[in-house]
Amino acid sequence: RENKWHSISGNSLTFSFLLQPELDLDKLGLFSLLAAVSVCEGIKKITGINCKIKWPNDILVDGEKIAGVLIENREINEKRFMCVGIGINVNENLEQLHSEIISKSTSLFIKLEKTVQREQLLAQILNSFENYYPKNMNRVRISWLEFCDHLNQEVKFYFGDELVKGKFNTINQNGYAEVKINGENCVYTGGIIEF
């Protein structure tokens, strides 16, 4: 959908790490949820700020986006690799937020009115990720639902090129959204959900 990421040297926290997933292919959707949960838990631990998640992995504070996750999978020589990319608005002020996102985004600095140590935040996010992966992946769904910003709300999303509307019910054990459309429960595996 031609989305762009904006990062400011010295203020944003943008990083990636590479995994060789130890899960069945049908459960790879859990990694996107895990990354979002890890960001929320890391931010809470360092700043005390309570974040919410918009499916699958936009992190919000007071309805404004503060972070996002992008995951890409590749198979190389019959081995599956997953690159987890995370971007967080940490120490940006209002003037530094890009004009394309300023109306719907924020930063930890804006919310706290003080700077945040990015190294400590990174460490807490990675610690949270390691608390789940690989041994506690069964807890990811429960944690994600605790942070979810839109349970039982009307949502809209693109399925291919078609705009679809429905009610967001939950996520299943594999990390995919369950949306009720015209009275029927449907599983939605990717893309952006809007409200």
Side-chain angles (χ1 to χ4, degrees):
R1 308 208 92 77
E2 298 183 11
N3 292 329
K4 296 177 182 176
W5 288 38
H6 304 280
S7 182
I8 297 177
S9 178
N11 289 330
S12 305
L13 177 57
T14 52
F15 60 98
S16 299
F17 54 94
L18 190 66
L19 299 171
Q20 281 188 268
E22 300 175 15
L23 287 179
D24 295 334
L25 285 177
D26 61 344
K27 294 195 177 290
L28 290 182
L30 290 173
F31 281 96
S32 183
L33 307 183
L34 170 54
V37 166
S38 299
V39 170
C40 290
E41 290 182 352
I43 288 174
K44 174 70 174 177
K45 185 109 178 184
I46 293 295
T47 69
I49 290 176
N50 293 310
C51 297
K52 292 290 188 180
I53 302 171
K54 178 179 137 184
W55 192 84
N57 50 28
D58 281 350
I59 293 89
L60 312 174
V61 175
D62 301 326
E64 297 173 308
K65 186 171 178 178
I66 202 161
V69 175
L70 179 64
I71 295 184
E72 294 190 2
N73 295 292
R74 293 283 185 275
E75 193 169 302
I76 303 170
N77 297 328
E78 299 182 8
K79 292 182 181 177
R80 180 161 295 281
F81 293 89
M82 175 178 289
C83 184
V84 179
I86 295 174
I88 307 169
N89 297 334
V90 180
N91 291 321
E92 296 90 337
N93 59 39
L94 273 175
E95 292 75 31
Q96 292 171 314
L97 291 178
H98 196 275
S99 59
E100 291 179 16
I101 63 169
I102 194 167
S103 65
K104 53 189 174 186
S105 298
T106 191
S107 73
L108 295 175
F109 176 82
I110 292 168
K111 292 298 179 182
L112 295 170
E113 298 183 346
K114 65 179 183 179
T115 58
V116 173
Q117 288 291 325
R118 293 177 303 145
E119 296 84 359
Q120 292 178 2
L121 179 57
L122 173 61
Q124 287 299 330
I125 291 167
L126 295 177
N127 287 343
S128 177
F129 196 95
E130 288 179 345
N131 285 337
Y132 292 94
Y133 178 74
K135 295 181 180 176
N136 294 309
M137 291 298 283
N138 59 326
R139 291 179 24 224
V140 171
R141 177 181 177 272
I142 295 164
S143 295
W144 189 93
L145 288 170
E146 290 173 0
F147 288 111
C148 182
D149 191 45
H150 49 76
L151 282 179
N152 302 312
Q153 289 186 21
E154 293 297 318
V155 296
K156 58 185 176 181
F157 56 91
Y158 281 95
F159 187 76
D161 290 332
E162 181 184 0
L163 185 63
V164 180
K165 296 179 183 180
K167 184 178 180 183
F168 191 98
N169 287 341
T170 189
I171 53 172
N172 66 21
Q173 294 298 327
N174 295 332
Y176 301 123
E178 292 186 6
V179 181
K180 186 170 279 191
I181 302 170
N182 298 325
E184 184 178 337
N185 287 326
C186 301
V187 175
Y188 182 60
T189 58
I192 304 295
I193 285 184
E194 300 175 356
F195 306 95

